[in-house]
Amino acid sequence: MALRAGDHSQVAMNGLKEKVLTLDTMNPCVRKVEYAVRGPIVLRALELEQELRQGVKKPFTEVIRANIGDAQAMGQKPITFLRQVLALCVHPDLLNSPDFPEDAKRRAERILQACGGHSLGAYSISSGIQLIREDVARYIERRDGGIPADPNNIYLSTGASDAIVTVLKLLVAGEGRTRTGVLIPIPQYPLYSAALAELNAVQVDYYLDEERAWALDVAELRRALAQARDHCCPRALCVINPGNPTGQVQARECIEAVIRFAFEERLFLMADEVYQDNVYAEGSQFHSFKKVLTEMGPPYAAQQELASFHSVSKGYMGECGFRGGYVEVVNMDPAVQSQMQKLMSVRLCPPVPGQLLLDVVVSPPAPSEPSFAQFQAERQAVLAELAAKAKLTEQVFNEAPGIRCNPVQGAMYSFPRVQLPPRAVQRAQELGLAPDMFFCLRLLEETGICVVPGSGFGQKEGTYHFRMTILPPLEKLRPLLEKLSQFHAKFTREYS
Amino acid sequence: MALRAGDHSQVAMNGLKEKVLTLDTMNPCVRKVEYAVRGPIVLRALELEQELRQGVKKPFTEVIRANIGDAQAMGQKPITFLRQVLALCVHPDLLNSPDFPEDAKRRAERILQACGGHSLGAYSISSGIQLIREDVARYIERRDGGIPADPNNIYLSTGASDAIVTVLKLLVAGEGRTRTGVLIPIPQYPLYSAALAELNAVQVDYYLDEERAWALDVAELRRALAQARDHCCPRALCVINPGNPTGQVQARECIEAVIRFAFEERLFLMADEVYQDNVYAEGSQFHSFKKVLTEMGPPYAAQQELASFHSVSKGYMGECGFRGGYVEVVNMDPAVQSQMQKLMSVRLCPPVPGQLLLDVVVSPPAPSEPSFAQFQAERQAVLAELAAKAKLTEQVFNEAPGIRCNPVQGAMYSFPRVQLPPRAVQRAQELGLAPDMFFCLRLLEETGICVVPGSGFGQKEGTYHFRMTILPPLEKLRPLLEKLSQFHAKFTREYS
């Protein structure tokens, strides 16, 4: 006998009261949240791993988690210098050990001096350790060819995700037709759709152009904005560059056009630049929104509001588990900035070990320091291998009939388009699944390869994709790509 | 010339467009958020520290931050074994070092085995490393005298704050008179009021009884609930035990009465138990809500919904900077639990170093292990000193005329009541300040002692308090308490 939700006095005949918190009574915005990168396909991958451990026979011997940009889980080694500095800070007795280089020790001492009680175990101030904010500012200035950065506009965070959600929170307001709308790219990284659903803001989709290597087209922004103004109040524009999941690296002219558009249309700009160190393609180069905006001069330089996000989880270091990141705000209303600072203070502080790793990332060993050579060699090795894997991925996929993959210019993912036969689409619909979810689930069951269906990122109606990281080790990646291509061929035959 | 908010085309005469994001256009719920523990008084303390560094003359030589429960910032040393295990995991080359005990190495190897790519740098699954969830479950079972705990009901978090906000998020729903109300104690830890303001839920105050050492009285719960039902839909009851800021440790009968009340009135229970290791007073003992609820048998044991929170930031370890914690849910609707898991997955994972510290805290060295003796000695030393400081605080304050302090039975704070002369109250009102904020600001300016006014935690109308941690080192604490008492006497004379 089902109980009606919200009936406080009703008791079932078995003496059980209905739960207070049920699907019917819980936060409806949370129910709407979706997050494909860790969705049902990943839960199934976890089960399969457990079955393998229990000795259940499968057509594969291991699950390959190509669903998430988690470099170290795929075998990438941590950068030695980062971990040396961190170990010294965690356990300062090691400062007396002869096994650590002098520059690592100096850095550890400098950071500990800046910590409460000279310990990583103390809270930092909520915006992050001041010394590290200053180091981040100097990093941004170097990156942007000398354009000044103010440490007081930099806020350290628990990974970039935390900072992105914080800025979105500030922007959300209104009801009905005045509700805040936020323009996000399609395909997008699903943190955006998830956060907007949770915050009850309106997601406004603009489509990237797959035919032009996922380029951002201002005419499409204009279309999306005009349509959105009929039913909400668009107030922010999110850009992911280099692109996740698309791998696209934006040209400088494109960024200029986006900034002009945002300025004219009065949109707060959010630039997700966590892959700024991950640019592989010849002719591609990372241009920060901050730099372009500043170089465009008035009125943009002094007026266009911008938040730019970075992280220690990606780049060459891939230290995802430490949850370090930052946001730099540009031209933000000082009163709003105080409000943001207040909001951050409620969560006390970002994890201090992540702050510390960020510090080393933004101030790596100098050429004169003993650790310079090894640091550079490790960094280059990771980036060179990622570049080779980006190239290989594009190449192998494009040799497969029915798969088409844009160049992976940057970031850590390919987002190939797959043709799915109409009978497969029909079968998926019968099962209540998105067709590419059906494809990815079958792929997982038969090959152990875990990738995320394009429907989790958004795609043009009637097109199908998946996102696959380029992170598996090079020696595993080629067989993996071939296995995936072969599975697609077999799947196509099966449903033709 | 002021611009109207929301006017998209208006440009001021100086050519400047109004900002997109202003106090007028931003999220109104964020504007309502207050968080006294890091509020204006702490910002002023930061400024004073900077002035001292710059050589500005002050009537004191250092700022004492007694505003926040940050043990290591106050000079408490980290527990050696925790940091050894963490250093080994951060930099596994150390596994070959003779300077680390064997049990620390075994533990580090065990945890690394459970990490993606055997590295702290990989994401964990969103609910936390499974091995650690299992260790937490065993800890809870030992704590609760053998009552079973299911690892699948345990979710690791970014400090306890993160988990508390997540559970509150699930509970928020409705509009107008159906809007979710949450009962919180007054005085409270201001995370609750801040999170409820941000989530646009209704804060329902129930007052703790200062005359009975801040005891929780069910009759007062009943009053608060009845009144709240006129204007919102109360759906959850938060309890902080041991109490922050009150230092009260709840008696078992009180907890039973609260559980019966929550069950009868259909309230989801949230038990903030982060100070469970911090119980000092003779005759006081920590009873977990989970244990009491289970031992009460039917119908409570199988039906009353509960979430219990814990943290690595408090206890004897005080590892605030690592942001480790967990929530255990009891009798939660499985469908809601899936929704919670999904929500957590959007933020990817709690910081892995904090997860690791939590693991060591819940499974400390066994008597047979080489690190046992040192670990126990360090732990006992911290707890014994805290107990002495709790006693001393109560004693010195109660010797001062016009200050009355309940026993600090547990947690890390005293919350003494101070008499403020009517002329001081009047002067504060002229300045637009809460009277106890005025008192605390003057205290800070004249003595360098930073404490938080009671108005930031809530208090009965017309009463004034402040929260002061008991964390300064014992040799500093007595002079500090005396200085504070003397300042109060002087302040009273000045305004009499």
Side-chain angles (χ1 to χ4, degrees):
Chain A
M1 177 180 151
L3 297 180
R4 259 183 309 127
D7 184 337
H8 283 194
S9 61
Q10 195 170 9
V11 175
M13 284 161 42
N14 59 6
L16 281 180
K17 285 194 186 186
E18 195 195 357
K19 304 258 183 215
V20 176
L21 189 57
T22 66
L23 284 184
D24 289 336
T25 65
M26 72 176 283
N27 186 337
C29 295
V30 170
R31 286 191 65 180
K32 285 183 303 178
V33 167
E34 284 179 29
Y35 189 67
V37 174
R38 297 210 156 189
I41 202 142
V42 182
L43 297 178
R44 181 63 191 141
L46 278 169
E47 287 172 5
L48 285 172
E49 281 178 328
Q50 205 157 2
E51 291 176 25
L52 281 174
R53 273 196 301 273
Q54 291 162 350
V56 181
K57 272 266 176 293
K58 296 281 166 195
F60 49 87
T61 54
E62 64 170 332
V63 172
I64 307 277
R65 303 238 207 129
N67 58 296
I68 188 164
D70 191 356
Q72 296 192 23
M74 284 283 123
Q76 184 182 307
K77 292 278 156 284
I79 302 291
T80 307
F81 187 72
L82 264 72
R83 295 303 190 90
Q84 285 173 330
V85 177
L86 182 53
L88 288 160
C89 288
V90 162
H91 191 51
D93 286 2
L94 292 170
L95 287 165
N96 303 315
S97 161
D99 300 336
F100 287 77
E102 282 310 307
D103 50 351
K105 290 184 184 176
R106 273 196 307 275
R107 236 163 254 261
E109 280 165 349
R110 177 171 177 267
I111 294 169
L112 286 174
Q113 280 298 326
C115 290
H118 303 171
S119 173
L120 295 193
Y123 291 118
S124 75
I125 62 167
S126 301
S127 41
I129 293 170
Q130 188 62 24
L131 178 88
I132 300 181
R133 298 168 82 194
E134 289 164 9
D135 289 345
V136 170
R138 275 193 291 270
Y139 158 81
I140 294 173
E141 288 175 355
R142 282 196 311 277
R143 181 195 73 187
D144 290 346
I147 292 170
D150 182 345
N152 295 316
N153 291 336
I154 291 159
Y155 298 86
L156 310 192
S157 57
T158 307
S161 303
D162 166 47
I164 291 169
V165 174
T166 298
V167 173
L168 287 174
K169 266 184 200 167
L170 296 175
L171 284 158
V172 170
E175 298 276 336
R177 289 186 54 164
T178 68
R179 201 149 60 107
T180 292
V182 177
L183 281 91
I184 65 170
I186 297 295
Q188 54 121 12
Y189 173 55
L191 168 67
Y192 293 95
S193 50
L196 294 175
E198 188 190 321
L199 295 168
N200 202 24
V202 180
Q203 171 180 331
V204 179
D205 296 345
Y206 67 88
Y207 287 84
L208 301 173
D209 186 353
E210 185 164 16
E211 305 310 314
R212 297 194 300 123
W214 298 113
L216 193 168
D217 181 359
V218 170
E220 166 61 10
L221 285 180
R222 216 173 293 283
R223 176 208 63 77
L225 184 71
Q227 231 168 289
R229 285 206 168 127
D230 288 344
H231 60 94
C232 70
C233 175
R235 302 170 68 213
L237 165 57
C238 298
V239 178
I240 310 174
N241 177 48
N244 175 4
T246 63
Q248 209 251 357
V249 178
Q250 290 178 347
R252 188 183 163 108
E253 306 74 60
C254 168
I255 296 174
E256 287 178 4
V258 169
I259 291 169
R260 272 192 298 270
F261 173 80
F263 183 78
E264 283 157 18
E265 302 294 348
R266 297 182 47 73
L267 298 169
F268 188 104
L269 260 176
M270 295 176 66
D272 181 338
E273 299 178 320
V274 300
Y275 297 99
Q276 56 190 265
D277 288 326
N278 299 99
V279 175
Y280 316 116
E282 265 179 61
S284 286
Q285 199 193 331
F286 171 72
H287 303 279
S288 79
F289 268 77
K290 162 98 176 288
K291 177 168 196 270
V292 175
L293 182 151
T294 311
E295 290 176 349
M296 283 166 75
Y300 313 102
Q303 293 189 56
Q304 176 59 46
E305 293 152 81
L306 167 70
S308 155
F309 306 92
H310 196 15
S311 163
V312 300
S313 301
K314 311 299 172 187
Y316 56 91
M317 49 284 180
E319 295 282 16
C320 312
F322 288 89
R323 317 304 302 117
Y326 76 80
V327 54
E328 182 190 21
V329 296
V330 179
N331 293 325
M332 188 183 251
D333 181 334
V336 174
Q337 209 166 318
S338 300
Q339 294 286 325
M340 182 171 78
Q341 195 153 352
K342 177 189 74 178
L343 190 60
M344 288 172 168
S345 76
V346 179
R347 298 293 188 88
L348 298 165
C349 73
V352 177
Q355 297 187 40
L356 182 160
L357 286 185
L358 177 65
D359 189 65
V360 185
V361 166
V362 298
S363 54
S368 60
E369 290 184 302
S371 299
F372 178 76
Q374 187 185 351
F375 179 88
Q376 284 298 324
E378 290 179 1
R379 179 179 185 280
Q380 287 313 323
V382 171
L383 291 175
E385 185 171 337
L386 285 172
K389 294 194 278 200
K391 193 108 199 146
L392 180 71
T393 300
E394 176 194 349
Q395 181 195 322
V396 176
F397 277 146
N398 283 330
E399 283 163 6
I403 303 184
R404 221 197 55 195
C405 182
N406 270 319
V408 181
Q409 299 169 340
M412 295 183 167
Y413 316 97
S414 62
F415 195 66
R417 180 161 169 183
V418 280
Q419 283 175 20
L420 299 182
R423 278 190 48 228
V425 173
Q426 197 187 328
R427 180 74 191 121
Q429 280 156 353
E430 288 161 17
L431 295 166
L433 293 171
D436 46 14
M437 173 65 95
F438 177 54
F439 172 78
C440 292
L441 277 170
R442 287 283 310 276
L443 174 72
L444 175 63
E445 296 290 341
E446 297 189 24
T447 66
I449 302 172
C450 180
V451 299
V452 190
S455 45
F457 303 89
Q459 54 198 353
K460 277 216 166 122
E461 182 78 27
T463 70
Y464 307 111
H465 301 77
F466 59 85
R467 187 186 82 164
M468 177 179 171
T469 71
I470 60 169
L471 295 173
L474 202 45
E475 68 277 11
K476 278 193 184 177
L477 185 62
R478 179 181 284 277
L480 198 66
L481 293 164
E482 286 169 352
K483 207 166 161 188
L484 202 158
S485 303
Q486 284 153 16
F487 173 82
H488 177 259
K490 175 175 164 278
F491 181 89
T492 303
R493 280 194 305 277
E494 189 181 331
Y495 287 97
S496 289
Chain B
M1 175 180 154
L3 297 180
R4 258 182 309 127
D7 184 338
H8 284 193
S9 61
Q10 195 169 9
V11 175
M13 283 162 44
N14 58 5
L16 281 180
K17 285 193 186 187
E18 195 194 357
K19 304 256 182 219
V20 176
L21 190 56
T22 66
L23 284 184
D24 289 335
T25 65
M26 71 174 286
N27 186 336
C29 294
V30 170
R31 285 191 64 179
K32 284 183 304 178
V33 167
E34 284 179 29
Y35 189 68
V37 174
R38 296 207 157 192
I41 203 143
V42 181
L43 296 179
R44 180 62 190 141
L46 279 169
E47 287 172 5
L48 286 172
E49 281 178 329
Q50 205 157 1
E51 291 177 23
L52 281 175
R53 275 196 300 274
Q54 291 161 351
V56 180
K57 271 266 176 292
K58 296 280 167 197
F60 48 87
T61 55
E62 64 171 332
V63 172
I64 307 277
R65 302 237 208 132
N67 59 297
I68 187 164
D70 190 354
Q72 295 192 21
M74 284 283 121
Q76 185 182 306
K77 292 278 157 286
I79 301 291
T80 306
F81 187 71
L82 264 72
R83 295 304 190 90
Q84 286 173 329
V85 176
L86 182 53
L88 289 161
C89 288
V90 163
H91 191 50
D93 286 2
L94 292 170
L95 287 164
N96 302 316
S97 160
D99 299 336
F100 287 78
E102 282 310 308
D103 49 351
K105 289 183 184 177
R106 274 196 305 275
R107 237 161 253 261
E109 280 165 348
R110 178 171 176 266
I111 294 169
L112 286 174
Q113 280 298 325
C115 291
H118 303 170
S119 172
L120 296 193
Y123 292 118
S124 74
I125 62 167
S126 302
S127 42
I129 294 171
Q130 189 61 24
L131 178 88
I132 300 180
R133 298 168 83 194
E134 289 164 9
D135 289 346
V136 171
R138 276 193 291 270
Y139 158 81
I140 294 173
E141 289 176 359
R142 281 196 312 277
R143 182 196 70 187
D144 290 346
I147 292 170
D150 182 345
N152 295 316
N153 291 336
I154 291 159
Y155 298 86
L156 310 191
S157 56
T158 307
S161 303
D162 167 47
I164 291 169
V165 173
T166 299
V167 173
L168 287 174
K169 267 185 200 167
L170 296 176
L171 284 158
V172 171
E175 298 277 336
R177 289 185 54 164
T178 69
R179 200 148 61 106
T180 292
V182 177
L183 282 91
I184 65 171
I186 297 295
Q188 52 119 14
Y189 174 55
L191 167 67
Y192 293 94
S193 50
L196 294 174
E198 188 190 321
L199 294 168
N200 202 24
V202 180
Q203 171 179 332
V204 179
D205 296 344
Y206 67 89
Y207 287 84
L208 301 174
D209 186 353
E210 184 165 16
E211 305 311 313
R212 296 194 300 122
W214 297 114
L216 193 167
D217 180 359
V218 170
E220 166 62 9
L221 286 180
R222 215 172 294 284
R223 176 207 63 76
L225 184 72
Q227 232 167 290
R229 284 206 168 124
D230 288 343
H231 60 94
C232 70
C233 175
R235 302 171 68 213
L237 166 58
C238 297
V239 178
I240 310 173
N241 178 48
N244 175 4
T246 63
Q248 208 253 354
V249 178
Q250 290 179 347
R252 190 184 161 108
E253 306 74 60
C254 168
I255 295 173
E256 287 178 4
V258 168
I259 291 170
R260 272 192 299 272
F261 173 79
F263 183 78
E264 283 158 18
E265 301 293 350
R266 299 184 44 73
L267 297 169
F268 187 104
L269 261 175
M270 295 176 66
D272 181 337
E273 299 178 320
V274 301
Y275 296 99
Q276 56 190 265
D277 288 326
N278 299 98
V279 175
Y280 316 117
E282 265 179 63
S284 286
Q285 200 193 331
F286 172 72
H287 304 277
S288 79
F289 268 76
K290 161 100 176 289
K291 178 169 195 269
V292 175
L293 181 152
T294 310
E295 290 177 348
M296 284 167 74
Y300 312 103
Q303 293 189 55
Q304 175 60 45
E305 294 152 78
L306 168 70
S308 156
F309 306 92
H310 196 17
S311 162
V312 300
S313 301
K314 312 299 171 187
Y316 55 90
M317 50 285 180
E319 295 282 15
C320 312
F322 288 89
R323 317 305 301 118
Y326 75 80
V327 54
E328 182 190 21
V329 296
V330 178
N331 293 324
M332 188 183 252
D333 181 333
V336 174
Q337 210 166 316
S338 300
Q339 294 286 326
M340 182 172 77
Q341 195 153 350
K342 178 189 73 178
L343 191 59
M344 288 171 168
S345 76
V346 179
R347 298 293 188 90
L348 298 165
C349 72
V352 177
Q355 297 188 39
L356 183 160
L357 286 185
L358 177 64
D359 189 65
V360 185
V361 166
V362 299
S363 55
S368 60
E369 291 184 301
S371 300
F372 178 76
Q374 187 184 352
F375 178 88
Q376 284 298 324
E378 291 179 1
R379 179 179 184 279
Q380 288 312 324
V382 171
L383 291 175
E385 185 171 340
L386 285 172
K389 294 194 277 200
K391 192 108 199 147
L392 181 70
T393 300
E394 175 194 349
Q395 182 196 321
V396 177
F397 277 147
N398 283 331
E399 284 164 5
I403 303 185
R404 221 197 53 196
C405 182
N406 269 319
V408 182
Q409 299 170 340
M412 295 182 167
Y413 316 96
S414 62
F415 194 67
R417 180 160 168 184
V418 279
Q419 284 174 19
L420 299 183
R423 275 191 48 227
V425 173
Q426 195 187 329
R427 179 75 190 119
Q429 280 156 353
E430 287 162 15
L431 294 166
L433 293 171
D436 45 16
M437 172 66 94
F438 177 54
F439 172 77
C440 292
L441 277 171
R442 285 285 309 274
L443 174 72
L444 175 64
E445 296 290 341
E446 297 190 23
T447 67
I449 303 171
C450 180
V451 300
V452 189
S455 44
F457 303 89
Q459 55 199 352
K460 279 218 166 117
E461 181 77 27
T463 70
Y464 308 109
H465 301 78
F466 59 84
R467 188 186 83 164
M468 176 178 170
T469 71
I470 60 169
L471 295 173
L474 202 44
E475 68 277 12
K476 278 193 184 176
L477 186 62
R478 178 181 284 276
L480 198 66
L481 293 163
E482 286 168 352
K483 206 166 160 189
L484 202 158
S485 303
Q486 284 154 15
F487 173 81
H488 177 260
K490 173 174 165 278
F491 181 88
T492 304
R493 280 194 305 276
E494 188 180 335
Y495 287 98
S496 289

